[in-house]
């Protein structure tokens, strides 16, 4: 296979086209298939040979693929990316010509995936040399993907079993990967809308669905919609195959903070199993109300948390740590009318930066306002009067 | 198609050749159509405005880009001329006392938009463009504060905010871009040559610039021509590098040829970094004509970005991802702390920290003051609801940065909380969330602080002395 001649290769392509075998054709234009290693298939200008054998509708795709193989083979990632852009656009035109058929969706998947991977490499290359801004190349790749997206989305008249709309979720996942990479989450919105409007949105393949849920869950998290984020990420985590531990770990990085914010702490065995030691101290500190430890942990793993985009949500956990600390103060005081100075001393003990009585009162005010403490503050007496019944309602009910 | 991509990367952009603040064609058109702004009119010996333009004072108006309209190079001002125009607008026009501030605002904000448009057409993405954008940001922020008590017909806070936010995000993206470029191709940064040559030329006329309230710069026209010629030479020769951008990435190490220059900048750098807090800010005046290092400019830019977008999580994340040098500088870390505090609605800390900001940053923070005050009152109302007790207006007005207890009492009444006998009574559920936001007010603190800085120094700290 790896050393087939150009003619053999073209014959195979033409054969799969006649049989309308999308899987085989997809393999034949995939960069994860051994044929791309064959030097006989790396052709700079293959147009004439290709046009001799291949139907005109697909010729552009195949010629582009061979040229991309040549560019990638000679180590020119930027040229490979440019050529792959042409391939994807040619695939889009090819799909448009095949009305009421969707056998070619695997071809689109493969070409789009390769485009994203080439764009990723080219982006690094171009940024390194200063030819373009970081992310610009990926953005251009997204534009090319958009041509496929439009064709799939517009295929509404065809019956459900052969509509190209089945290809939407795969494309949307590719878009998510790009948009999260270049940090343009606002662009995800129309994608989500397109998927949610599909009547068969729950019947996509599980792997595609999990990817989709992972990204929408993250997006919900950034939009502070924690309830929805919890549901979506939980789905992804529970359904994700036991074998793909790396993916499960990735999901947990977002699921853990969301769960914690809603009052559920992860077991340390889970953290160990998925190699997430960064969270260990976060969990302990929130549990104990150890604000000091939490601040230190955030500072220590700052780059990890910022890189994952969860720094701010962990910062919000401080409120929970304060709540647990204050609950301890209340239990120790043994009264329902507690001097604010007691809380202040606890905060000072936790090394909260230049905190004073007024700020303590402000923190308490917020907790009462958010329903984390039941009671009221008497400013004149500098006391908190907490409710006799359930002064610190469980976090899971807030 | 691949070929097209390539040619796009090359710098084949339009370069303007209009050497005055206003293209000649526009001068003629507006004279004919009697579209002369009062600030552009000639003044007769009695101080009366004549409906006749003073050619030197004309500044290109903003006009919406229309489809099919050909952009002529003769209508576009090159970057150095834009810089000059900016200086004229911010250092001279803004100080005019003979017309109302509302009129000045309307004039300057329109002309700034034209400047931004000219920059955009020429794809101005260098240090000088950055400085122009950032100066525009300063103006929008200052104007937002100064004009906040005006009627809607004079000042639309929404539109001003839009200009501000747009320009500010442009500034941030330019920093990112230039930072990147400077760490890769250091010899590309000729831009500051223009800038320094400018300073040299302007030195002679500086006096009349700073105190001219009524006599608007004589001979501005001729000066512009001189300046732009000089700077054109600067760009065309192109070879010299001026260490302007290095700031935090002087690890690159190809500054060997001008090590003396970069040394002095670094010295300036540390000096610059120290004077962030208002108490130290006074040193600024001793800091004559030196090239201000980009990193301190970036600090200001980032701080303003954080304050203008206070509480926006995306903004905070963007800043958290910035380089450690910037993040840990005094001013930026202060604004970061304020943002984090506001995430948990810790109004006390936010307001307390805000008092440590330098004047312009205070103006930027002031944009959010009424929102913060309202939120604080609503939280306090929920948590301090206790029969028969009241919260002292005086204490509270100090904490929430109201000018005095009367202003606070007015706000309380506005939001449905009874204020009497020097105290406010908080009752759960009484807060009127439907009530519109209070109109912002000037605060004593900012007024006092602004009084200590001359306006050109506030708007153009890098250019004026």
């Amino acid at each position: 296979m790896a050393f087939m001649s150009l003619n053999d290769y073209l014959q195979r392509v033409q054969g799969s086209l006649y049989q309308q075998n999308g899987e085989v054709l997809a393999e034949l234009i995939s960069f994860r298939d051994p044929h791309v290693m064959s030097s006989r298939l790396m052709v700079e200008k293959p147009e004439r040979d290709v046009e001799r054998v291949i139907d005109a509708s697909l010729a552009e795709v195949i010629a582009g693929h061979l040229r991309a193989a040549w560019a990638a083979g000679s180590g020119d990632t930027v040229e490979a990316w440019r050529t792959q852009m042409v391939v994807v656009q040619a695939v889009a035109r090819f799909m448009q010509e095949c009305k009421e058929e969707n056998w070619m969706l695997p071809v689109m998947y493969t070409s789009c995936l390769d485009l994203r991977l080439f764009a990723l490499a080219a982006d690094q290359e171009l940024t390194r040399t200063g030819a373009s801004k970081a992310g610009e190349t990926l953005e251009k790749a997204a534009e090319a993907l958009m041509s496929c997206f439009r064709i799939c989305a517009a295929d509404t008249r065809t019956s459900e079993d052969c509509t190209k709309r089945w290809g939407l979720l795969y494309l949307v996942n590719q878009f998510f990967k790009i948009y999260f990479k270049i940090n343009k989450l606002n662009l995800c919105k129309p994608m989500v809308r397109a998927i949610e409007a599909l009547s068969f949105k729950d019947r996509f393949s599980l792997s595609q669905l999990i990817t989709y849920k992972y990204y929408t869950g993250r997006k919900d998290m950034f939009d502070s919609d924690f309830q929805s984020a919890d549901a979506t990420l939980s789905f992804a985590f529970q359904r994700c195959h036991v074998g793909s531990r790396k993916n499960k770990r990735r999901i947990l990085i977002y699921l853990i903070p969301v769960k914690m914010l809603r009052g559920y702490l992860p077991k340390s065995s889970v953290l160990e199993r998925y190699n997430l030691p960064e969270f260990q101290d976060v969990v302990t500190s929130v549990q104990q109300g150890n604000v000091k430890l939490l601040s230190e942990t955030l500072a220590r793993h700052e780059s990890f948390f910022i890189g994952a985009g969860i720094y701010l949500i962990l910062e919000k956990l401080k409120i929970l740590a304060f709540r647990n600390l204050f609950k301890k103060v209340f239990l120790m005081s043994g009264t329902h009318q507690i001097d604010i100075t007691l809380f202040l001393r606890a905060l000072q003990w936790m090394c909260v930066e230049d905190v004073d009585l007024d700020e303590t009162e402000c923190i308490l005010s917020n907790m009462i306002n958010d329903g984390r403490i039941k009671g009221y503050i008497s400013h004149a007496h500098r006391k908190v009067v907490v409710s006799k019944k359930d002064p610190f309602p469980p976090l899971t009910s807030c | 198609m691949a070929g097209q991509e390539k040619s796009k990367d090359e710098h084949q952009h339009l370069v303007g050749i209009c050497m005055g603040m206003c293209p000649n064609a526009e001068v003629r058109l507006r004279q004919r159509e009697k579209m002369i702004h009062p600030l552009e009119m000639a003044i007769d010996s009695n101080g009366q405005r004549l409906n006749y333009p003073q050619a030197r004072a004309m500044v290109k108006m903003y006009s919406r880009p229309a489809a099919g309209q050909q952009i002529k190079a003769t209508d576009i001002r090159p970057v150095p001329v834009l810089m000059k125009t900016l200086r004229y607008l911010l250092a001279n026009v803004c100080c005019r006392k003979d017309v109302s501030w509302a009129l000045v605002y309307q004039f300057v904000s329109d002309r700034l938009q034209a400047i931004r448009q000219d920059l955009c057409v020429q794809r101005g993405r260098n240090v000088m463009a950055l400085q122009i954008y950032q100066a525009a940001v300063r103006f929008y922020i200052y104007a937002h504060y100064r004009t906040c008590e005006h009627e809607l017909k004079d000042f639309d806070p929404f539109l001003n905010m839009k200009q501000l936010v747009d320009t500010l995000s442009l500034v941030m993206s330019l920093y990112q871009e230039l930072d990147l470029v400077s760490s890769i191709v250091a010899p590309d940064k000729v831009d500051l040559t223009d800038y320094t040559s400018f300073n040299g030329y302007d030195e002679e006329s500086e006096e009349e610039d700073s105190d001219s309230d009524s006599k608007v710069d004589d001979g501005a026209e001729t000066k512009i021509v001189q300046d732009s010629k000089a700077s054109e030479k600067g760009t065309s020769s192109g070879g010299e590098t001026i260490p302007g951008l290095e700031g935090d990435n002087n690890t690159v190490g190809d500054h060997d040829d001008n090590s003396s220059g970069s040394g002095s900048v670094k010295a300036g750098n540390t000096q610059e970094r120290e004077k962030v807090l208002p108490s130290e800010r006074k040193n600024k005046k001793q800091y004559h004509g030196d090239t201000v290092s980009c990193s301190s400019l970036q600090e200001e830019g980032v701080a303003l970005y954080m304050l203008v977008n206070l509480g926006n999580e995306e903004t905070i994340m963007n800043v958290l991802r910035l380089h450690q040098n910037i993040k840990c500088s005094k001013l930026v870390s202060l604004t970061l702390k304020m943002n984090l505090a506001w995430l948990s609605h810790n109004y006390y800390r936010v307001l307390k920290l805000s008092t440590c900001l330098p004047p312009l940053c205070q103006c930027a923070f002031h944009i959010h003051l009424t929102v913060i005050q309202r939120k604080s009152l609503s939280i306090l109302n929920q948590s301090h609801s206790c029969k028969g007790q009241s919260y002292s207006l005086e204490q509270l007005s100090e904490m929430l940065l109201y000018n005095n207890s009367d202003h606070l009492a007015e706000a309380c009444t506005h939001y449905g909380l009874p204020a009497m006998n020097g105290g406010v009574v908080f009752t759960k559920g009484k807060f009127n969330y439907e009530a519109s936001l209070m109109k912002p007010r000037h605060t004593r603190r900012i007024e006092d602080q602004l009084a200590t800085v001359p306006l050109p120094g506030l708007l153009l700290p890098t250019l004026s002395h």
Side-chain angles (χ1 to χ4, degrees), chain A residues 21 30 65 84 128 145 158 174 198 218 234 237 277 298 302 316 318 332-333 371 392:
Chain A
N21 190 336
S30 163
H65 173 65
Q84 192 66 22
R128 196 174 53 77
L145 294 185
T158 320
Q174 296 299 321
L198 292 177
R218 279 178 69 180
S234 297
F237 183 70
L298 282 183
E302 193 190 63
K316 286 181 191 162
K318 273 194 185 156
M332 279 159 71
S333 73
F392 288 82

Side-chain angles (χ1 to χ4, degrees), chain B residues 343-359:
Chain B
L343 267 191
S344 53
H345 291 143
N346 188 336
Y347 50 84
Y348 178 75
R349 183 168 284 243
V350 178
L351 294 171
K352 196 173 79 176
L353 291 177
S354 81
T355 58
C356 307
L357 292 168

Side-chain angles (χ1 to χ4, degrees), chain B residues 45-94:
Chain B
S45 49
N46 304 327
Q48 283 293 318
R49 269 168 222 290
L50 307 165
N51 199 357
Y52 181 81
Q54 187 185 18
R56 290 191 301 267
M58 297 271 290
V59 183
K60 185 179 170 182
M61 267 173 80
Y62 173 72
S63 71
R64 210 163 294 177
Q69 197 179 28
Q70 197 72 43
I71 302 170
K72 284 191 230 102
T74 47
D75 289 345
I76 303 294
R77 297 158 291 178
V79 180
V81 178
L82 291 174
M83 185 65 116
K84 179 71 207 168
T85 313
L86 179 88
R87 257 183 72 84
Y88 166 68
L89 289 174
L90 297 190
N92 296 343
V93 180
C94 279

Side-chain angles (χ1 to χ4, degrees), chain A residues 352-392:
Chain A
V352 177
E353 207 183 348
D354 47 56
V355 61
D356 59 15
L357 211 53
D358 282 323
E359 183 166 359
T360 316
E361 202 178 304
C362 170
I363 294 173
L364 283 161
S365 285
N366 268 295
M367 283 189 189
I368 296 173
N369 185 48
D370 297 340
R372 298 187 199 279
I373 300 179
K374 280 193 198 161
Y376 63 87
I377 298 169
S378 161
H379 177 68
H381 301 104
R382 289 283 190 185
K383 273 182 196 297
V384 182
V385 183
V386 297
S387 148
K388 290 251 158 56
K389 184 177 161 274
D390 216 6
F392 288 82

Side-chain angles (χ1 to χ4, degrees), chain A residues 251-283:
Chain A
I251 300 170
L252 275 183
I253 290 178
Y254 301 96
L255 185 56
I256 290 174
V258 169
K259 281 278 192 197
M260 280 177 79
L261 213 53
R262 307 193 74 215
Y264 301 93
L265 299 178
K267 284 189 199 138
S268 55
S269 62
V270 174
L271 297 181
E272 267 164 42
R273 188 170 348 131
Y274 291 100
N275 185 28
L276 290 164
E278 292 87 353
F279 285 102
Q280 197 70 64
D281 282 340
V282 176
V283 175

